[in-house]
Every structure is written in structure tokens, then in C-alpha cells.
Amino acid sequence: MVIYADVLIFVNFIVDFLLLKLVSRLNKRNSKLWRFITASIAASLFSLYIFLPSQTFIIELLMRLGCSAVTVLICFGFKGIKSFLRNISLFYAVSFIFAGIILFLQSIRPSSKIGVNNGFVYFDISPTLLITLSFIIYIIITVIKRITQKTAEASERYTVKLSFFDKNVTAEAIFDSGHSLKDAFDSSLVIIIDANTANRLFGCMEVNMLLELVPPETEALKRRFRLIPVKTVSGEKMLPAVKLDTITVQGKNSYETKNPVAVISKEKLGDDFSVILPVL
């Protein structure tokens, strides 16, 4: 089979772009368009490795790990080892699924137009099919973007200011359409904050008592303390909550909500956000 470098780069650019977009959707982690494009270009240039003679398993493995790490770092940046490992694991997962589908199709209908070497895939397709494929992919991405636009907006990060008496704390937040907690006492807005954010608002000792479902010592906290029932896959449990004075979502369209109820989660909510807001 004759391998054309321009076709190889273009096809791998499209494939890697879609794989990175899928990782972003699965991980609910948005990134700038230029990052997706730059990462896809880098990954497609790495595909030129297919022209080298077949390497040993160790060398090929190290090359693949290096290429994948660079691609993921360009696309999503480095925000801690845990975040990086999750991103690269998802990237490998969707890549393996893609490769599995290709190998399955090749096994049931062998084609001389598909080549694999050093872990990279090459499709021998005509320029006409190339243009048609590009147009179809553009249409598909456009349609998916319009359909999921509301969900995508909901997963963006927002800066919020939480106010409790004379204490103001700023944190990063996301909107989650799956968040359906309700306050049993009234119709107040219910948000979820992690223990670290609660510590900054109420103090470490008070939060430790709250997490044990024990009313705090501070009189102001005690008056606003309540328990919220939460349903999880393991059953229903009670989480401590405190009524705040205000929450202000900052940004282009800033708005303020009075007397929200902040449910305190003992577990970390995310690597780059510590507040979850309901989609109104």
C-alpha cells in the first residue's frame, strides 16, 4: 500500500479531534477550541511515525505514551496529577474503542485500503471522498453542537461569591442539570459546596461538627443549621446544610440570589470547582 503523508495527517487530525472532543464530553471538562486544534495537529504529526520501521514493543509503548501525554497536556493543560491521569485514561479508553471498531470491521470485511503500523491507522481514500467526508463531519459536529449547546453551557465554570454574615468567600462553580436537591423547610435555592469551601465560610472546627450531623456551637450557625436528605446509588443519607445570606454568580450576566441553602459535601466535588449549582 502507498501511504500519502497529507492523507495520513488529515485523517488522523479528524480522528484525534473527535476523540478529544469525546473525552471532553465524558469528563465534563471544556477547553478552548485552539487547544483542541493544536492538540489534534500535534497528534496527527505524531502519526508520521508510521513511516518508521516496526519497533520493539517497549519502544512503541514509550512512543505512544509520550505522544498521548503531549496531546492530552496541550488540549487540557496540567491541573494536577489526578486530573491528568483521568484525562489520559479516558483518551486511551476512547482510542481503544475506536481501534477495536476498526479491527472488527477489518476482520469481517478485510480491505487493502486500511493500514496499521506502529499503532497508527492509515485510510487510503480518494480526494473526492476526503472532501465529502470533511463536509459530513462538519455537518455532524454542527448539529451535535446545537443539540448539546444548553448542556455545554451548563458545564462551564463560573465564579461565585458566597456570603454568610460578614464572611465572603469566592469559589469556582458549575451548573448541573442532575442536581435536584430540595429544601424541606421552604423553596430556597439549594447548592452544594465542598468541605474546604465550608471551612473558609464557617471555620474548620464548626464544619467538622456539621459533617458529624451535630448542631454547631456558634449561635448563628445553629439557627441556620438543617439536614437535607440525599439519594445516592447506595441509598438515602442526610447531609448537613446551612442557610447563607446570598450567593452571587459573577460574570457577563451577574445575578444574586438571597438566602440559598448550602449543602456540605465531605467528598471533593471536582479538581477545578468546589460549588455545584442547580440549573434553573
Side-chain angles (χ1 to χ4, degrees):
M1 176 192 294
V2 178
I3 297 179
Y4 298 94
D6 54 347
V7 176
L8 175 70
I9 292 173
F10 175 82
V11 171
N12 277 275
F13 172 83
I14 295 298
V15 170
D16 287 307
F17 184 85
L18 294 177
L19 291 179
L20 289 170
K21 276 292 187 182
L22 183 55
V23 170
S24 175
R25 298 296 303 157
L26 291 173
N27 206 20
K28 294 183 179 179
R29 181 178 298 279
N30 289 331
S31 198
K32 300 291 186 182
L33 178 61
W34 70 265
R35 281 187 171 274
F36 283 104
I37 294 175
T38 305
S40 300
I41 291 175
S44 63
L45 292 176
F46 288 141
S47 68
L48 293 174
Y49 182 57
I50 198 174
F51 290 112
L52 297 179
S54 296
Q55 304 294 320
T56 63
F57 172 77
I58 296 299
I59 294 178
E60 183 177 320
L61 177 63
L62 292 175
M63 281 293 299
R64 294 291 295 179
L65 287 173
C67 295
S68 302
V70 171
T71 300
V72 168
L73 286 173
I74 292 175
C75 188
F76 302 106
F78 185 78
K79 298 180 179 179
I81 188 65
K82 184 178 179 181
S83 176
F84 169 72
L85 291 176
R86 183 170 62 247
N87 288 333
I88 199 167
S89 297
L90 280 172
F91 183 65
Y92 269 113
V94 297
S95 298
F96 287 152
I97 292 173
F98 169 75
I101 293 173
I102 295 297
L103 292 175
F104 174 73
L105 294 175
Q106 179 74 341
S107 66
I108 62 175
R109 190 173 181 180
S111 173
S112 59
K113 293 183 178 295
I114 299 179
V116 180
N117 188 41
N118 289 332
F120 291 95
V121 181
Y122 175 78
F123 299 89
D124 184 14
I125 54 179
S126 67
T128 302
L129 182 57
L130 204 59
I131 295 172
T132 304
L133 180 62
S134 303
F135 181 75
I136 292 174
I137 291 175
Y138 174 79
I139 295 296
I140 292 174
I141 292 176
T142 302
V143 171
I144 292 176
K145 183 178 179 181
R146 290 182 178 178
I147 293 175
T148 61
Q149 185 173 8
K150 184 176 180 181
T151 305
E153 289 175 353
S155 62
E156 292 178 359
R157 272 49 175 172
Y158 297 85
T159 300
V160 297
K161 183 175 74 172
L162 309 174
S163 299
F164 182 74
F165 288 95
D166 59 346
K167 184 67 69 69
N168 294 306
V169 169
T170 301
E172 295 300 304
I174 64 166
F175 284 92
D176 183 6
S177 58
H179 166 28
S180 59
L181 296 182
K182 302 292 183 183
D183 181 16
F185 294 90
D186 53 39
S187 58
S188 298
L189 177 76
V190 177
I191 67 173
I192 304 173
I193 64 176
D194 65 10
N196 182 56
T197 302
N199 288 339
R200 292 159 59 200
L201 266 175
F202 313 127
C204 183
M205 295 300 295
E206 298 287 2
V207 171
N208 288 339
M209 293 183 66
L210 291 172
L211 291 174
E212 295 297 327
L213 307 184
V214 177
E217 295 291 338
T218 306
E219 191 62 31
L221 268 176
K222 189 181 295 184
R223 289 200 307 268
R224 299 194 185 190
F225 171 75
R226 61 196 60 195
L227 296 176
I228 300 287
V230 177
K231 289 184 179 179
T232 65
V233 292
S234 59
E236 187 172 293
K237 60 181 179 180
M238 306 298 289
L239 288 181
V242 177
K243 176 162 283 195
L244 307 181
D245 291 321
T246 61
I247 178 173
T248 305
V249 178
Q250 301 173 335
K252 186 185 299 182
N253 300 312
S254 298
Y255 66 89
E256 180 180 282
T257 300
K258 294 184 179 299
N259 302 126
V261 174
V263 174
I264 305 171
S265 171
K266 189 174 184 179
E267 299 176 356
K268 187 177 180 181
L269 299 180
D271 290 323
D272 58 350
F273 66 92
S274 57
V275 179
I276 296 179
L277 309 172
V279 177
L280 302 177

